């Protein structure tokens, strides 16, 4: 194990006694460290200067070559930057002991996770696995536009948007699963910010200068106005018809209206509520706000395997180039087509599910390169088969779905036969053959009442042995 102390000047290195079982290196220039990093490197950021330390910890997390290594500090970075480090240590011995557990866990991860071009998804999976983050918990940060944040992941990937989209895609691929619902938020439809000011407005002009006042209603002429306008020489008199208002219930009463707009003079009972975005200033009616949910996430077994093998994501991503759409969109579209086919009997479509059955074996027996070439060959062939109006998606790790609109029985047979013929075409001289099974659904014949797109895909996938 090597402890790399990152200090502000060479002089600060003196006095670091190397603890048993580790040697200590001092560095002042962290930029040159990445290429010399090994799986057993433990960084200790000890510049003694707060901003400099935060900058260095961020840069170390950001670079895939150093990002998953233990990064310790000798002084607190403050909230939320302490989330970026693996803890604060007081001595080289403590750094060695803290680092040891993490280094052992990092040894399980595939080397590709530490490559300069490592996949974001695998880095997140590797981080969760090595830190034993059973539930990836969002942090509450009032100064963050989205309010909740994952500081360590944001440092690794470089932006909150990227983290959100990668977590969503990992969820769809079943690499992580939602653990607990932490909060429900409403987002500004213009900028997606969550800092909103709910403010009462005039329903006529939208102005915010409204006042709540006691109102009176003259029975003689029907005038409704703030009470102050009825006061005339200490008595109540209607400003419109000049009637004397003596007895409540007989001459006048108190109407429900009790707001007056100081801008347009409109009087009303209930003000309108507007959500004013504190980020971009856009006013929105509350029903136009976009609801969002915040969860903690945990790594699935599949996600753990992906981090250890480093292969699955790369291999399967090759298939995403064939008219691919996200699974949620695909299912929504299937649901819509089902509804359409229920109403119009002539509306037909076909779904073909392709389950790759031996990709992991191929990877183990013939290596990643072979497996990748075979998947790439399949993707290329599929691209030739798929029409521009057809769509594909992936669910889980080995399921590929094709949606063929306007194609029903018996014309779907042609496409299916071509796909099945690929089996014998995709192999390599040195051995290794990509094997897959298919399942077919044609509408309207195979429609089950009440079934949604999501349920349908689950039913079809369940049909495989
Ligand atoms: Zn906004
Ligand atoms: Zn008004
Ligand atoms: Zn009156």
């Amino acid at each position: 194990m090597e402890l790399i102390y990152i200090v502000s000047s060479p002089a600060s290195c003196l006095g670091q006694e190397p603890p048993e079982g580790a040697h200590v290196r001092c560095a002042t220039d962290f930029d040159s460290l990445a290429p010399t990093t090994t799986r057993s490197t433990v960084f200790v950021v000890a510049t003694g200067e707060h901003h400099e330390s935060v900058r260095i910890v961020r840069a170390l997390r950001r670079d895939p070559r150093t990002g998953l290594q233990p990064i310790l500090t000798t002084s607190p970075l403050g909230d939320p930057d302490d989330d970026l480090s693996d803890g604060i240590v007081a001595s080289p011995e403590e750094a060695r002991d803290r680092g040891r557990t993490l280094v052992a866990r990092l040894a399980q991860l595939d080397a590709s996770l530490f490559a300069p071009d490592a996949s974001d998804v695998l880095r997140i999976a590797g981080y969760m696995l090595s830190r034993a983050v059973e539930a990836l918990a969002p942090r509450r940060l009032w100064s963050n536009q989205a309010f909740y944040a994952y500081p360590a992941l944001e440092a690794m990937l470089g932006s909150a948007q990227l983290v959100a989209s990668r977590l969503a895609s990992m969820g769809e691929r079943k690499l992580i699963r939602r653990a607990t619902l932490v909060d429900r938020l409403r987002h500004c439809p213009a900028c997606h910010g969550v800092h909103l000011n709910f403010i009462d407005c005039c329903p006529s002009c939208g102005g915010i200068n409204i006042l709540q006042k006691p109102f009176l209603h003259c029975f003689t002429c029907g005038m409704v106005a703030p009470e102050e306008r009825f006061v005339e020489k200490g008595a109540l008199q209607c400003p419109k018809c000049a009637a004397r208002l003596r007895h409540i219930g007989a001459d006048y009463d108190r109407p429900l209206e009790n707001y007056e707009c100081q801008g347009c003079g409109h009087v009303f009972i209930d003000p309108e509520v507007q959500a004013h975005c504190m980020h971009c200033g856009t006013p929105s009616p509350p029903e136009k706000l976009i609801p969002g949910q915040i969860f903690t996430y945990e790594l699935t077994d599949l996600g753990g395997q992906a981090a250890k093998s480093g292969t699955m994501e790369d291999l399967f991503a090759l298939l995403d180039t064939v008219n691919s759409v996200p699974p949620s969109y695909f299912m929504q579209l299937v649901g819509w087509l089902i509804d359409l086919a229920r109403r119009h009997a002539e509306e037909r479509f076909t779904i073909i599910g392709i389950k790759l059955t031996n990709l992991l074996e191929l990877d183990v027996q013939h290596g990643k390169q072979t497996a990748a070439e075979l998947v790439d060959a399949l993707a290329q062939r599929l691209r030739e088969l798929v029409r521009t109006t057809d769509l594909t998606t992936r669910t889980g790790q080995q399921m590929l779905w094709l949606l063929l609109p306007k194609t029903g029985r018996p014309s779907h047979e042609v496409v299916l036969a071509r796909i099945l013929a690929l089996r014998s075409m995709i192999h390599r001289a040195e051995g290794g053959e990509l094997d897959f099974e298919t399942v077919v659904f044609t509408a309207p014949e195979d429609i089950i009442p009440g079934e949604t797109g999501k349920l349908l895909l689950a039913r079809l996938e369940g049909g495989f042995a």
Side-chain angles (χ1 to χ4, degrees):
M1 184 195 286
E2 183 180 40
L3 300 178
I4 299 186
Y5 268 74
I6 303 174
V7 292
S8 50
S9 76
S12 354
C13 281
L14 301 172
Q16 302 285 10
E17 276 297 314
E20 211 181 308
H23 60 97
V24 175
R25 173 150 64 112
C26 259
T28 50
D29 168 24
F30 80 97
D31 296 307
S32 59
L33 289 174
T36 69
T37 302
T38 69
R39 293 294 68 78
S40 55
T41 299
V42 175
F43 293 104
V44 184
V45 179
T47 67
E49 207 280 309
H50 178 257
H51 286 290
E52 183 63 1
S53 294
V54 171
R55 189 179 72 84
I56 291 172
V57 171
R58 277 187 187 283
L60 288 170
R61 281 278 177 251
R62 182 85 176 90
D63 190 323
R65 294 171 293 180
T66 53
L68 290 172
Q69 295 309 126
I71 302 174
L72 303 162
T73 61
T74 50
S75 54
L77 300 181
D79 192 38
D81 293 321
D82 276 327
D83 275 25
L84 308 182
S85 83
D86 290 300
I88 306 160
V89 290
S91 66
E93 285 74 21
E94 199 184 348
R96 174 201 60 195
D97 296 344
R98 288 267 199 118
R100 188 176 281 148
T101 329
L102 278 174
V103 162
R105 289 196 197 126
L106 290 178
Q108 302 181 301
L109 304 180
D110 186 70
S112 67
L113 272 66
F114 304 89
D117 59 348
S119 113
D120 293 341
V121 164
L122 288 182
R123 291 182 70 206
I124 294 178
Y127 183 80
M128 290 176 81
L129 191 70
S130 58
R131 267 60 184 180
V133 186
E134 278 159 21
L136 186 62
R139 291 290 312 274
R140 299 152 58 90
L141 292 176
W142 68 267
S143 56
N144 188 302
Q145 182 165 15
F147 192 68
Y148 285 96
Y150 303 90
L153 298 187
E154 282 173 22
M156 285 166 69
L157 269 52
S159 92
Q161 285 84 347
L162 213 50
V163 170
S165 96
R166 294 294 185 262
L167 288 178
S169 127
M170 289 176 81
E172 289 191 330
R173 287 169 190 186
K174 301 187 171 71
L175 298 174
I176 54 173
R177 78 171 79 83
R178 291 168 170 183
T180 12
L181 178 64
V182 175
D183 209 346
R184 273 203 296 265
L185 299 173
R186 306 226 164 244
H187 297 268
C188 163
C191 74
H192 220 67
V194 296
H195 296 86
L196 301 162
N197 181 28
F198 291 87
I199 187 161
D200 290 345
C201 302
C202 165
S204 174
C205 74
I208 63 165
N209 192 5
I210 58 172
L211 280 182
Q212 196 171 17
K213 293 176 174 177
F215 272 62
L216 292 185
H217 170 216
C218 165
F219 283 178
T220 312
C221 72
M223 173 80 171
V224 172
E227 184 174 330
E228 64 201 21
R229 291 176 55 196
F230 285 81
V231 180
E232 189 65 43
K233 292 176 191 146
L236 291 177
Q237 184 177 6
C238 176
K240 192 175 167 196
C241 69
R244 282 271 176 183
L245 309 183
R246 290 191 179 88
H247 306 288
I248 189 158
D251 304 326
Y252 71 101
D253 66 1
R254 297 197 175 274
L256 290 169
E257 283 88 348
N258 61 354
Y259 282 95
E260 185 185 45
C261 175
Q262 305 303 291
C264 71
H266 184 58
V267 296
F268 48 95
I269 303 168
D270 292 314
E272 204 170 78
V273 178
Q274 290 270 353
H276 282 196
C277 176
M278 305 299 263
H279 298 284
C280 71
T282 305
S284 312
E287 63 273 17
K288 286 276 156 58
L289 298 174
I290 300 164
Q293 294 180 313
I294 301 294
F295 292 92
T296 61
Y297 294 98
E298 53 193 23
L299 199 63
T300 61
D301 289 346
L302 210 56
Q305 282 168 32
K308 288 175 189 167
S309 69
T311 57
M312 294 198 286
E313 192 53 33
D314 297 342
L315 286 180
F316 286 98
L318 292 170
L319 292 171
D320 287 349
T321 55
V322 193
N323 285 5
S324 186
V325 295
S328 51
Y329 176 71
F330 189 92
M331 290 173 194
Q332 229 177 344
L333 204 62
V334 168
W336 181 74
L337 283 171
I338 291 175
D339 289 343
L340 213 59
R342 281 198 192 111
R343 287 181 179 214
H344 309 283
E346 73 280 8
E347 191 61 44
R348 47 196 64 243
F349 66 94
T350 295
I351 295 171
I352 299 177
I354 301 175
K355 184 176 189 170
L356 305 178
T357 49
N358 68 335
L359 199 52
L360 295 180
E361 288 91 324
L362 275 178
D363 183 24
V364 173
Q365 288 165 11
H366 299 276
K368 186 178 174 180
Q369 189 60 26
T370 303
E373 280 174 24
L374 289 168
V375 175
D376 196 35
L378 175 68
Q380 280 181 22
R381 300 283 183 174
L382 283 174
R383 223 170 291 149
E384 292 161 15
L385 278 179
V386 165
R387 301 166 299 182
T388 49
T389 50
D390 300 337
L391 291 178
T392 70
T393 196
R394 281 194 301 136
T395 59
Q397 285 297 312
Q398 336 223 5
M399 276 303 310
L400 181 71
W401 300 95
L402 265 69
L403 173 60
L404 317 172
K406 300 280 176 197
T407 308
R409 280 182 195 165
S411 43
H412 76 287
E413 299 281 2
V414 183
V415 187
L416 186 62
R418 284 186 192 149
I419 290 174
L420 290 173
L422 294 180
R423 222 186 253 155
S424 56
M425 293 163 80
I426 298 168
H427 56 80
R428 288 186 9 134
E430 308 91 273
E433 198 165 308
L434 194 60
D435 208 2
F436 56 82
E437 290 170 19
T438 56
V439 63
V440 181
F441 167 96
T442 57
E445 295 84 353
D446 300 336
I447 291 181
I448 290 181
E451 200 164 49
T452 62
K454 194 174 177 176
L455 290 173
L456 171 62
L457 291 203
R459 171 165 72 89
L460 294 178
E461 189 170 346
F464 287 108

